[in-house]
């Protein structure tokens, strides 16, 4: 027991080492939150372009660009994307690393969100679309008021899962020298040479975050499900 | 059979790839008529009906609605569809909306009524279709017959000049067919112009003012119900009737 307290003191209390983890936690939260928002924005945009193209045959050029984006983002490791965006694309400009990470993870997540949302749009029965159009609603109105709300509900579990994956994936941010939660714990390990305390602490924090997120998604899902019987 | 021509169809053709489904259909539908369309499965009845509000884009011929050729390029189809109601075999009520919102969505979003007017109208219509207490229900909570009556109310909310029905009772349990047919009968009696694809020969005989037999993409015979059923001229129609009657 004394050993445990000593270890705890060494890793977190002495010289306020807990601050590495606190700073990392804040950065992880900021990166995840804004990357999710970027991912949703890009994902919905791409999904709408792609499914509108499939339904109407319009927007050929935009659809082509979207497909290249999806292929690249889903066909290369996230880490390589992060490194390229930091060392190649933003090489010559001085931009906060957190911003770089938001761009990288947001672009990456957008590709997965896009395919999730697109599958959700396709899962809505064609009859719903035809009923909307037969009443005189135009394409956009039908999508906005009838198709998207149902598509969103259908894919909510998958979207929740994607955000959990994203949160955990931000743990590679240390590779561009950014102190995220993982990197913060690792800095402490480098100073104190004890692995157990900092790494377990970091793991526990991730676990809490993911559990909380799952809980929120479940709750939202149940709220939206009230519509059915 | 007198009155204004509401819908005129001239040599309508529809191919899906190299499959010619409609091979030249011509007819006129006048105000107040109730036209029943019958024919074997796959003969193109739905395709014909869906061409009338351009849910299917015809590959040839023309459709003229209230004097305007709606198959002409540049037609505002959304405007046209506001005046042509459609009722589907699978009801297609908006699953994400309450019954009231199902009925009010289009009139409100299209700027035809404000929210309050539309709700008042929805209430009237729910009364008319015999479901006054379902305003706050969701479609999934209703029986098939109730769903179809709501679908009819939703169409009526747009005050259409003609209503298209694509086998409105074919997805219903037998005990619910009657309630829907009864409602359609009332609509007909109120003077609504209706085009009804159906397998309900009783309805065609009693309610329709004209019955049309489509086979292999053409109208083989059309006549008053009496003549149609008692003296079918076309041989394929005779065969068809001997199977279904
Ligand atoms: N979207 C489509 N693509 C290809 N073929 C179709 C399509 N819709 C209908 N068809 C074909 O057209 C024919 C007529 O269909 P339909 O009008 O639905 O027949 P009915 O309503 O008389 O049973 C059928 O052979 C069907 O397979
Ligand atoms: Mg059909």
């Amino acid at each position: 027991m004394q050993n445990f307290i000593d270890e705890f003191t060494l890793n977190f209390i002495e010289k306020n080492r807990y601050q590495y983890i606190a700073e990392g936690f804040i950065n992880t939260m900021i990166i995840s939150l804004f990357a999710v928002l970027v991912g949703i924005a890009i994902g919905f945009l791409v999904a709408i372009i792609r499914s509108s193209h499939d339904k109407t045959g319009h927007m050929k050029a935009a659809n082509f660009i979207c497909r290249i984006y999806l292929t690249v983002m889903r066909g290369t490791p996230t880490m390589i994307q992060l490194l390229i965006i930091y060392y190649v694309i933003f090489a010559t400009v001085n931009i906060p690393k957190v911003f770089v990470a938001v761009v990288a993870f947001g672009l990456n997540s957008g590709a997965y969100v896009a395919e999730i949302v697109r599958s959700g749009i396709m899962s809505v029965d064609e009859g719903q679309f035809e009923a909307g159009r037969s009443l005189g609603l135009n394409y956009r109105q039908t999508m906005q008021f009838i198709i998207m709300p149902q598509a969103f509900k259908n894919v909510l579990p998958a979207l929740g899962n994607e955000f959990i994956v994203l949160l955990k994936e931000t743990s590679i941010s240390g590779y561009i020298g950014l102190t995220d939660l993982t990197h913060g714990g690792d800095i402490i390990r480098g100073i104190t040479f004890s692995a157990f305390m900092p790494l377990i602490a970091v793991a526990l924090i991730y676990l809490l975050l993911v559990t909380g997120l799952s809980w929120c998604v479940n709750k939202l899902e149940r709220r939206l499900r009230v519509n059915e019987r | 059979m007198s009155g204004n021509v509401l819908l005129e169809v001239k040599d309508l053709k529809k191919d899906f790839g190299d499959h010619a489904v409609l091979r030249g259909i011509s007819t006129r539908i006048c105000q107040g008529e109730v036209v029943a369309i019958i024919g074997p499965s796959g003969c193109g009845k739905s395709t014909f009906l869906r061409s009338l509000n351009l849910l299917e884009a015809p590959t040839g011929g023309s459709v003229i609605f209230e004097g305007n050729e709606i198959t002409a390029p540049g037609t505002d189809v959304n405007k046209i569809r506001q005046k042509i109601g459609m009722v589907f075999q699978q009801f297609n009520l908006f699953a994400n909306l309450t019954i009231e919102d199902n009925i009010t969505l289009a009139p409100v979003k299209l700027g035809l009524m404000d929210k309050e007017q539309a709700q008042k109208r929805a209430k009237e219509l729910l009364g008319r279709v015999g479901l006054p207490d379902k305003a706050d229900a969701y479609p999934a909570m209703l029986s098939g017959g109730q769903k179809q009556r709501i679908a009819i109310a939703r169409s009526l909310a747009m005050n259409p000049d003609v209503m298209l029905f694509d086998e409105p009772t074919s997805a219903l349990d037998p005990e619910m067919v009657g309630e829907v047919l009864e409602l359609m009968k009332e609509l007909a009696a109120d003077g609504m112009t209706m085009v009804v694809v159906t397998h309900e020969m009783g309805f065609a005989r009693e309610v329709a003012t004209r019955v049309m037999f489509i086979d292999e993409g053409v109208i083989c015979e059309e006549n008053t119900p009496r003549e149609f059923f008692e003296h079918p001229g076309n041989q394929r129609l005779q065969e068809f009737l001997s199977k279904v009657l």
Side-chain angles (χ1 to χ4, degrees):
Chain A
M1 189 61 200
Q2 188 55 45
N3 189 19
F4 183 89
I5 294 172
D6 287 348
E7 274 284 298
F8 190 87
T9 314
L10 172 69
N11 280 291
F12 303 127
I13 311 294
E14 249 175 51
K15 295 196 175 159
N16 285 341
R17 287 191 184 120
Y18 73 90
Q19 283 179 346
Y20 291 112
I21 290 193
E23 186 196 346
F25 174 79
I26 290 169
N27 281 336
T28 289
M29 292 306 285
I30 292 174
I31 295 168
S32 302
L33 183 69
F34 285 98
V36 158
L37 295 178
V38 172
I40 289 180
I42 296 178
F44 272 77
L45 185 69
V46 170
I48 288 168
I49 291 174
R50 296 262 291 132
S51 46
S52 299
H53 169 268
D54 291 352
K55 262 208 173 93
T56 64
H58 296 161
M59 299 199 282
K60 284 203 166 59
N63 181 58
F64 184 70
I65 294 169
C66 289
R67 285 182 59 174
I68 292 177
Y69 161 74
L70 293 174
T71 307
V72 171
M73 285 298 155
R74 296 191 304 160
T76 55
T78 316
M79 181 134 97
I80 299 294
Q81 294 166 15
L82 179 68
L83 294 177
I84 289 176
I85 288 175
Y86 183 63
Y87 288 111
V88 181
I89 295 175
F90 288 144
T92 55
V93 281
N94 196 6
I95 281 180
K97 287 173 179 171
V98 170
F99 181 84
V100 174
V102 166
V103 170
F105 291 113
L107 278 174
N108 178 272
S109 182
Y112 292 94
V113 171
E115 289 303 85
I116 291 170
V117 172
R118 192 166 80 99
S119 78
I121 292 173
M122 289 192 311
S123 74
V124 177
D125 185 62
E126 179 68 16
Q128 297 282 308
F129 184 79
E130 291 187 345
R133 296 307 304 273
S134 75
L135 286 164
L137 297 172
N138 63 27
Y139 181 86
R140 190 189 57 72
Q141 291 166 325
T142 307
M143 289 302 278
Q144 182 181 346
F145 300 122
I146 299 159
I147 307 300
M148 291 311 286
Q150 295 184 50
F152 182 71
K153 194 169 77 176
N154 292 349
V155 300
L156 199 62
L159 277 182
N161 202 40
E162 164 57 24
F163 298 151
I164 287 169
V165 169
L166 170 65
L167 172 72
K168 291 188 292 182
E169 208 153 44
T170 60
S171 66
I172 59 171
S173 300
Y175 281 89
I176 60 169
L178 198 164
T179 305
D180 74 319
L181 183 53
T182 302
H183 192 47
D186 212 39
I187 291 174
I188 299 177
R189 188 183 60 83
I191 297 171
T192 62
F193 296 109
S194 66
F196 181 83
M197 273 286 167
L199 294 186
I200 293 295
V202 165
L204 279 177
I205 295 173
Y206 278 116
L207 190 60
L208 275 175
L209 287 174
V210 168
T211 314
L213 200 53
S214 309
W215 186 83
C216 293
V217 173
N218 277 335
K219 187 137 177 119
L220 187 58
E221 211 187 321
R222 241 174 294 138
R223 269 247 302 271
L224 289 176
R225 189 132 295 167
V226 174
N227 294 0
E228 291 153 22
R229 31 234 81 227
Chain B
M1 193 82 187
S2 58
N4 313 337
V5 176
L6 201 64
L7 264 170
E8 182 165 6
V9 181
K10 286 186 187 162
D11 198 27
L12 185 70
K13 293 189 174 120
K14 175 70 182 179
D15 308 333
F16 290 109
D18 51 12
H19 181 189
V21 174
L22 301 182
R23 299 185 304 146
I25 290 197
S26 301
T27 190
R28 288 172 168 196
I29 293 161
C30 294
Q31 203 153 28
E33 267 198 289
V34 177
V35 179
I37 300 176
I38 65 173
S41 162
C43 70
K45 302 181 297 294
S46 296
T47 306
F48 171 61
L49 201 69
R50 293 157 56 84
S51 299
L52 298 181
N53 67 352
L54 303 181
L55 275 187
E56 300 289 355
T59 39
S62 55
V63 178
I64 296 145
F65 174 62
E66 299 183 333
N68 303 309
E69 187 190 336
I70 62 176
T71 39
T75 305
D76 182 355
V77 288
N78 299 317
K79 204 87 194 162
I80 299 295
R81 286 175 182 151
Q82 295 183 16
K83 289 282 135 205
I84 306 180
M86 183 149 207
V87 174
F88 300 86
Q89 181 175 351
Q90 298 297 337
F91 329 124
N92 298 342
L93 293 183
F94 304 133
N96 57 319
L97 300 179
T98 62
I99 297 310
E100 179 177 279
D101 290 342
N102 261 274
I103 298 174
T104 59
L105 178 76
V108 171
K109 295 301 177 192
L110 295 170
L112 305 178
M113 297 179 198
D114 64 34
K115 185 104 196 165
E116 227 165 275
Q117 283 175 303
Q119 284 169 340
K120 195 161 153 270
R121 176 94 172 111
K123 237 193 194 103
E124 283 167 25
L125 287 167
L126 285 174
R128 174 159 188 197
V129 302
L131 297 166
D133 54 345
K134 296 294 183 196
D136 298 323
Y138 280 90
M141 304 165 173
L142 304 184
S143 73
Q146 292 173 332
K147 282 185 203 171
Q148 197 60 300
R149 282 143 70 195
I150 298 296
I152 291 171
R154 178 176 69 180
S155 259
L156 287 172
M158 295 295 293
N159 296 317
D161 293 340
V162 55
M163 287 179 75
L164 313 177
F165 295 80
D166 193 357
E167 300 197 31
T169 59
S170 295
L172 296 178
D173 291 334
E175 76 270 20
M176 295 172 185
V177 170
E179 63 193 65
V180 172
L181 290 181
E182 193 52 41
L183 175 59
M184 291 169 62
K185 204 165 159 179
E186 287 168 24
L187 285 183
D190 288 349
M192 176 61 75
T193 310
M194 296 161 61
V195 185
V196 186
V197 173
T198 186
H199 293 297
E200 295 292 332
M201 295 304 150
F203 178 86
R205 198 195 294 260
E206 284 172 39
V207 183
T209 54
R210 174 160 47 122
V211 188
M212 185 184 283
F213 176 67
I214 295 185
D215 193 21
E216 301 194 327
V218 293
I219 298 176
C220 295
E221 181 146 340
E222 55 180 328
N223 217 328
T224 60
R226 205 191 165 92
E227 281 299 305
F228 186 93
F229 288 108
E230 282 172 21
H231 307 290
N234 180 282
Q235 194 194 335
R236 299 187 69 99
L237 172 58
Q238 289 168 5
E239 284 165 22
F240 180 78
L241 288 178
S242 72
K243 270 182 242 157
V244 297
L245 287 182

